[in-house]
Amino acid sequence: MTTRQDTSAPGAAAPRSGPEAVPALVDRLKALADGSETVSFAELNRTIGAQGHAPLLMVVSIFMVLPIGMIPGIGGALGAIVALIGVQMLLGREAIGLPDLFGRRTLSAERLRRVAVHIRPIADWLRKRLRPRWSALAEGRVSLCIMAILLIVAGGSLLVLGAIPVTTPLLGLPVAVFALGVLGRDGMVVAAGYVLLALVILGATWMKASSG
C-alpha cells in the first residue's frame, strides 16, 4: 500500500510536481510570509523558483488573478516575471535571473499570508482531482515550447497594458491554468488552459471590434 507523503511535516521534502505539489506550494508560500513584514519578488524567486518554473509561475499567476495584481506597478512586474519564465522554459533552463528593477518590488507579508490561508482549501480540493495524464501536453517539449511563447507574449503585453486593471487578471487566469496543469502533471488541465486563452483572445478581439 502506498502512503501519501506528509509535505506539511517539518523537514519533509516538498514534491516538485504532481497533485501533492499544489498544497505543498501553498504551505511554502505561507511559511515565506510568516514572521516577515514584506516579501520581495527576489525572495519569491529564490524560495519558490528554486523548485522549478511551474511553482513560481503558479504563485505569480495567483497574484495576477487576485486583487494584488491590480496594485499600480505590480501588474507590469508580474508580467515581466511571466515573460522571463517563458524565456527560460524556451531555453530549457530551470532558474530565472530576476532583474533588480523587478526583484526589489515587495508585497505585504500579511496580505500574502492571508492569500495562502484562503486558497489552502482550494489547493486540497485540486489535489484530489488532479492526476498525471496526457503527459505530452503537461511535460512534452513541443507543448512546453508553445506554452513558453504564449507566456512571453502575455507577460510582455502586461508591461504595456498592466496599467489597465482588468488586463492582469484576464491574462492571469489562463496562465494560472497552464501553471496548475504543469505543476500537477495533468495534461487535461493544460488543454483547458489553451482553450481558455483562445476564449480570452476572441473575447478581447470582439470587444475591440465592438468599441471601434
Side-chain angles (χ1 to χ4, degrees):
M1 182 177 68
T2 302
T3 302
R4 184 170 70 87
Q5 182 184 21
D6 181 8
T7 56
S8 63
R16 290 176 64 90
S17 62
E20 296 287 345
V22 178
L25 172 60
V26 177
D27 290 340
R28 290 206 307 275
L29 192 61
K30 181 178 180 297
L32 180 63
D34 284 342
S36 301
E37 292 185 1
T38 61
V39 176
S40 69
F41 285 163
E43 290 175 292
L44 278 172
N45 187 36
R46 283 194 301 270
T47 56
I48 306 298
Q51 296 290 316
H53 298 131
L56 183 60
L57 186 62
M58 185 79 253
V59 171
V60 171
S61 64
I62 290 172
F63 293 163
M64 292 170 71
V65 173
L66 295 175
I68 292 176
M70 291 187 281
I71 297 173
I74 296 297
L78 293 174
I81 297 174
V82 167
L84 285 170
I85 292 173
V87 170
Q88 297 305 311
M89 286 176 63
L90 201 59
L91 296 175
R93 297 174 183 171
E94 282 291 321
I96 72 167
L98 202 60
D100 287 343
L101 176 64
F102 303 113
R104 288 196 300 266
R105 298 274 184 175
T106 61
L107 297 168
S108 163
E110 177 58 24
R111 187 193 296 261
L112 201 60
R113 191 192 67 79
R114 288 200 304 265
V115 167
V117 170
H118 288 156
I119 66 175
R120 187 56 163 82
I122 300 173
D124 287 331
W125 183 87
L126 289 169
R127 176 184 60 78
K128 297 173 183 177
R129 285 154 182 83
L130 292 169
R131 65 177 184 270
R133 53 187 164 181
W134 298 13
S135 59
L137 283 178
E139 303 174 86
R141 184 61 184 162
V142 173
S143 179
L144 290 177
C145 285
I146 294 172
M147 201 182 307
I149 293 171
L150 293 174
L151 292 176
I152 293 169
V153 173
S157 68
L158 283 179
L159 292 173
V160 179
L161 303 175
I164 304 174
V166 72
T167 306
T168 302
L170 194 63
L171 286 176
L173 191 54
V175 172
V177 176
F178 280 140
L180 180 62
V182 175
L183 182 62
R185 300 208 309 271
D186 195 328
M188 187 176 289
V189 176
V190 173
Y194 284 119
V195 173
L196 184 57
L197 181 60
L199 291 175
V200 168
I201 293 172
L202 287 173
T205 303
W206 178 81
M207 290 176 63
K208 183 177 181 181
S210 298
S211 63

